[in-house]
Amino acid sequence: SLAVNAGFARWRVLRVDLAGTEISSDVKEAQVYWDADTSGAFSAGDGLPIATATFQGGLANLSFSTQTITSTSATYFLVYHINPAAIPGNTLTAKIFDATYLTITTPNTAVAGTFPVNSGTLTIQPTLDTVTVTPGTPQPAPASVVQGDNNVSMARLRMSLNANAATFTGLRLDKTGSC
């Protein structure tokens, strides 16, 4: 929550550092939302994000149209979208290192608070992704082969994934029948 002791302040940038074991690519994007429904909890009622940024080198600068902060407390949420290919086991922690991480426009430039501000730490959990393989006849299917032929298409495999990401690392073929 943000508030001023008198008058108002204009806030326009939030800088956030990654502070866990995560890497920049684990977080697809960071967003800032204003608590529009004043519930104090992040929800669909908070509308659209006021800022979106990606992490580069472990930091994100979230720039937005000026937010006027008054003596009435205003709540904002930092929200991450986790990359489907994020590394399981890495930990996510957001860090606002000091007062310079909140850009307040002049003349109201003093920021007070307890810094650094660290979010809770979350561990990226793996998802159970299902790869579906659908076999088929190659198109066009060869009518015949001749001894010594190369690049003879024998099968077509269509692969799809139900969610997230998977890396295809190999294919094992078993020969059946007589030689």
Side-chain angles (χ1 to χ4, degrees):
S1 294
L2 301 172
V4 296
N5 60 346
F8 64 92
R10 291 189 173 100
W11 179 41
R12 59 181 181 84
V13 179
L14 173 64
R15 177 180 168 172
V16 178
D17 290 342
L18 297 175
T21 61
E22 74 274 40
I23 58 176
S24 292
S25 62
D26 284 342
V27 181
K28 187 175 177 181
E29 65 185 7
Q31 296 180 325
V32 174
Y33 283 80
W34 170 60
D35 187 10
D37 64 7
T38 65
S39 67
F42 181 66
S43 67
D46 293 320
L48 299 174
I50 63 169
T52 299
T54 58
F55 281 94
Q56 302 293 324
L59 68 95
N61 285 305
L62 294 121
S63 299
F64 37 85
S65 61
T66 301
Q67 299 291 301
T68 301
I69 309 300
T70 66
S71 59
T72 302
S73 183
T75 301
Y76 292 83
F77 300 103
L78 174 64
V79 176
Y80 284 177
H81 290 261
I82 309 306
N83 188 329
I87 299 169
N90 279 0
T91 57
L92 298 168
T93 304
K95 183 175 191 172
I96 301 168
F97 186 72
D98 62 27
T100 65
Y101 279 44
L102 290 99
T103 303
I104 307 294
T105 58
T106 56
N108 305 58
T109 57
V111 176
T114 304
F115 292 97
V117 175
N118 291 309
S119 71
T121 299
L122 302 173
T123 301
I124 299 170
Q125 300 296 323
T127 57
L128 178 60
D129 302 323
T130 302
V131 177
T132 301
V133 179
T134 307
T137 304
Q139 301 296 323
S144 63
V145 294
V146 177
Q147 290 175 321
D149 278 355
N150 293 313
N151 299 323
V152 177
S153 179
M154 298 300 295
R156 177 179 63 193
L157 303 174
R158 290 187 182 218
M159 301 176 77
S160 61
L161 187 65
N162 68 329
N164 299 313
T167 303
F168 185 63
T169 59
L171 176 65
R172 185 182 113 184
L173 299 174
D174 292 328
K175 181 180 177 188
T176 59
S178 60
C179 297

